[in-house]
Amino acid sequence: MKIRTVIGAASVAIATATPSSAHDVGDKVTPNFAQAIPNIPGKSLIAVVVDYPPGGASAPHTHAKSSFICAYVISGRIESKVNNSPTRVYKAGDSWSEPPGASHPISRNASKTKPAKLLAVFVVDTDDKELTTPVK
């Protein structure tokens, strides 16, 4: 698959990665990287940076059924809950993974006074058009 196709698909996926309702509660998702994985046909690596202002949060969502995710806290502290696991607070330098199709009911800045930033790296089916779907 050509890189332009992957980047185009990734752009669509990233554009839908955070629904507009999530932006209303205070997160900003910025595309960082998109590339087909040459030795794993049909898979791509997509990275996004999620910025949370003080008190900001993402709307509850699920991830694509094909996506394995590694999240890394760049700065600040992120409070996160994946599936039925306990809610945890991760500080800058901490990371965690999320299994394919994970439910993400909590993803937010743990601070009301300082911003926070994380890098989310997805290994996903190249044809998946949405990285996340809002929970209604």
Side-chain angles (χ1 to χ4, degrees):
M1 177 171 283
K2 294 187 180 216
I3 186 63
R4 287 181 198 209
T5 304
V6 171
I7 290 174
S11 295
V12 169
I14 291 166
T16 59
T18 303
S20 60
S21 62
H23 290 295
D24 295 341
V25 292
D27 69 345
K28 177 185 171 201
V29 178
T30 305
N32 181 270
F33 180 85
Q35 175 72 50
I37 303 173
N39 62 335
I40 309 175
K43 292 288 186 181
S44 291
L45 189 67
I46 298 173
V48 298
V49 174
V50 183
D51 286 287
Y52 292 104
S58 297
H61 57 276
T62 58
H63 291 290
K65 293 191 186 310
S66 71
S67 65
F68 175 78
I69 302 161
C70 178
Y72 176 80
V73 180
I74 297 168
S75 63
R77 296 167 34 100
I78 303 289
E79 185 175 7
S80 181
K81 178 178 178 67
V82 178
N83 293 328
N84 293 322
S85 66
T87 302
R88 292 196 48 195
V89 175
Y90 299 91
K91 65 182 182 333
D94 289 345
S95 61
W96 70 94
S97 65
E98 300 179 19
S103 171
H104 210 160
I106 297 172
S107 182
R108 62 183 167 224
N109 187 341
S111 173
K112 302 275 188 224
T113 61
K114 297 179 182 176
K117 181 183 293 199
L118 72 85
L119 175 69
V121 179
F122 293 71
V123 176
V124 65
D125 286 350
T126 302
D127 293 336
D128 273 350
K129 301 299 181 219
E130 294 188 37
L131 296 178
T132 65
T133 303
V135 173
K136 297 179 181 184

